[in-house]
């Protein structure tokens, strides 16, 4: 499905569900170089629970028109407009973001808290520094940037292709998703992550779930724990032996924890 925002078409899926003006809304935000398809399993699950689900392609990714937005805050502002258009009744909105998407969710929750009820941050770090070698390769559209991003995102077990989903090869799936992004998209996304400045951000007051992978080399578990410790209302769930690509390495656990958080009242004990 598509809507117009700022004169550009933005693509999103609903998990094969139907929007309900009286139901709660879950908005899924993908990571750098990816698109809505990483949320196929969670979006279908929540849609079948009766929630209004939107897994969105950020501008310049997947089926959305470009160019890519150059900063995390601009992406968050775009999604604030997206929520306003698709949620005119102001129903409670849970924003779930992975990697770069977690920064977008963070910015959205802190700067547009009137539109969001709670957030879930998967594979997060605030700030989220990116190495020069990876940025330089991405700027040159060198395939090495895809290789580095993909390999570093997987645990040692994930690198050998093991998957909880029968017939899926985690490493190859990650590579193909990154390869189908347009030239400059991965660089734009990685640069946005690298330049994200939480120093000017309003204090995060919303309930928050943080999911960390104990074998995550891109956003170490300690960084995710640190994010949670600096939030007023946060719960941490840890995935043993899991890398940064937790949506493919541990999809069932991610779904379980996110579902539990979405089902809770708007507070975290």
């Amino acid at each position: 499905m598509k809507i117009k925002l700022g004169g550009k078409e933005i693509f999103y899926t609903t998990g094969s569900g139907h929007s309900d003006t009286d139901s709660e809304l879950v908005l899924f935000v993908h990571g750098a170089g990816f698109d809505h398809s990483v949320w196929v399993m969670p979006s279908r699950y929540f849609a079948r629970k009766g929630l209004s689900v939107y897994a969105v392609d950020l501008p310049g990714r997947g089926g959305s028109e470009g160019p890519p937005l150059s900063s995390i805050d601009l992406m968050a502002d775009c999604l604030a407009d997206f929520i306003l258009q698709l949620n005119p009744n102001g129903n409670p909105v849970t924003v779930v973001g992975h990697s770069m998407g977690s920064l977008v969710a963070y910015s959205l929750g802190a700067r547009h808290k009137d539109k969001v009820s709670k957030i879930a941050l998967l594979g997060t770090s605030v700030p989220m520094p990116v190495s020069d070698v990876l940025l330089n390769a991405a700027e040159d559209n060198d395939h090495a940037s895809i290789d580095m991003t993909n390999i570093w995102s997987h645990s040692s077990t994930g690198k050998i292709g093991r998957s909880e989903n029968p017939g899926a090869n985690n490493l190859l799936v990650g590579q193909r998703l990154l390869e189908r992004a347009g030239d400059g998209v991965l660089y734009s996304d990685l640069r946005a992550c690298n330049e994200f400045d939480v120093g000017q951000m309003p204090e995060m007051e919303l309930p928050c779930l943080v999911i960390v992978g104990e074998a995550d080399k891109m956003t170490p578990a300690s960084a995710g724990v640190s994010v949670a410790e600096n939030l007023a209302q946060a719960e941490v769930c840890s995935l043993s032996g899991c890398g940064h690509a937790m949506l493919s390495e541990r999809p069932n656990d991610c779904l379980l924890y996110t579902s539990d958080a979405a089902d809770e009242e708007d507070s975290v004990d």
Side-chain angles (χ1 to χ4, degrees):
M1 302 180 71
K2 293 183 178 182
I3 62 170
K4 283 276 190 178
L5 288 179
K8 301 289 186 180
E9 286 190 337
I10 301 297
F11 179 86
Y12 66 95
T13 63
T14 61
S16 299
H18 300 283
S19 299
D20 184 344
T21 56
D22 295 323
S23 68
E24 294 190 15
L25 186 151
V26 181
L27 176 63
F28 292 104
V29 191
H30 60 78
F34 289 98
D35 58 37
H36 73 278
S37 62
V38 298
W39 299 108
V40 168
M41 178 178 169
S43 61
R44 288 179 177 175
Y45 174 81
F46 281 107
R48 281 151 183 75
K49 291 187 68 175
L51 280 70
S52 294
V53 173
Y54 302 108
V56 65
D57 284 341
L58 290 165
R61 293 86 166 174
S64 293
E65 291 183 337
L69 297 175
S70 61
S71 75
I72 298 299
D73 289 346
L74 287 175
M75 297 177 206
D77 292 343
C78 174
L79 293 186
D81 292 339
F82 181 89
I83 292 172
L84 185 62
Q85 184 165 331
L86 293 178
N87 186 38
N89 291 342
N91 297 334
V93 179
T94 298
V95 182
V96 183
H98 174 248
S99 193
M100 180 188 76
S102 74
L103 298 184
V104 178
Y106 191 106
S107 177
L108 185 58
R111 298 169 54 250
H112 298 279
K113 56 188 176 183
D114 58 315
K115 296 180 176 65
V116 180
S117 60
K118 48 195 168 184
I119 62 174
L121 311 177
L122 284 62
T124 195
S125 174
V126 180
M128 191 176 287
V130 180
S131 69
D132 288 341
V133 64
L134 178 53
L135 278 174
N136 291 339
E139 186 175 18
D140 293 337
N141 291 309
D142 189 330
H143 197 280
S145 63
I146 292 175
D147 295 335
M148 286 185 281
T149 300
N150 192 40
I151 291 172
W152 294 344
S153 290
H154 288 85
S155 65
S156 56
T157 302
K159 288 187 181 72
I160 62 175
R162 179 181 178 274
S163 174
E164 291 185 357
N165 296 321
N169 183 306
N170 289 336
L171 202 62
L172 291 180
V173 168
Q175 179 178 325
R176 293 296 182 264
L177 285 174
L178 291 169
E179 286 175 341
R180 74 181 189 182
D183 285 350
V185 171
L186 182 58
Y187 172 67
S188 178
D189 287 352
L190 292 175
R191 185 179 63 182
C193 292
N194 193 55
E195 294 177 352
F196 179 66
D197 181 10
V198 73
Q200 304 300 316
M201 194 71 55
E203 183 177 354
M204 172 65 69
E205 301 172 352
L206 300 176
C208 177
L209 170 69
V210 177
I211 302 180
V212 303
E214 292 184 2
D216 190 339
K217 296 181 178 64
M218 298 288 278
T219 55
S222 58
V225 171
S226 179
V227 171
E229 290 175 343
N230 286 286
L231 298 179
Q233 304 181 70
E235 176 185 358
V236 177
C237 294
S238 182
L239 304 178
S240 61
C242 183
H244 189 63
M246 55 184 62
L247 290 170
S248 57
E249 288 195 11
R250 298 286 289 278
N252 298 319
D253 287 328
C254 288
L255 181 59
L256 173 64
Y257 292 137
T258 305
S259 177
D260 287 345
D263 286 340
E264 292 175 357
E265 297 297 323
D266 289 345
S267 64
V268 176
D269 294 331

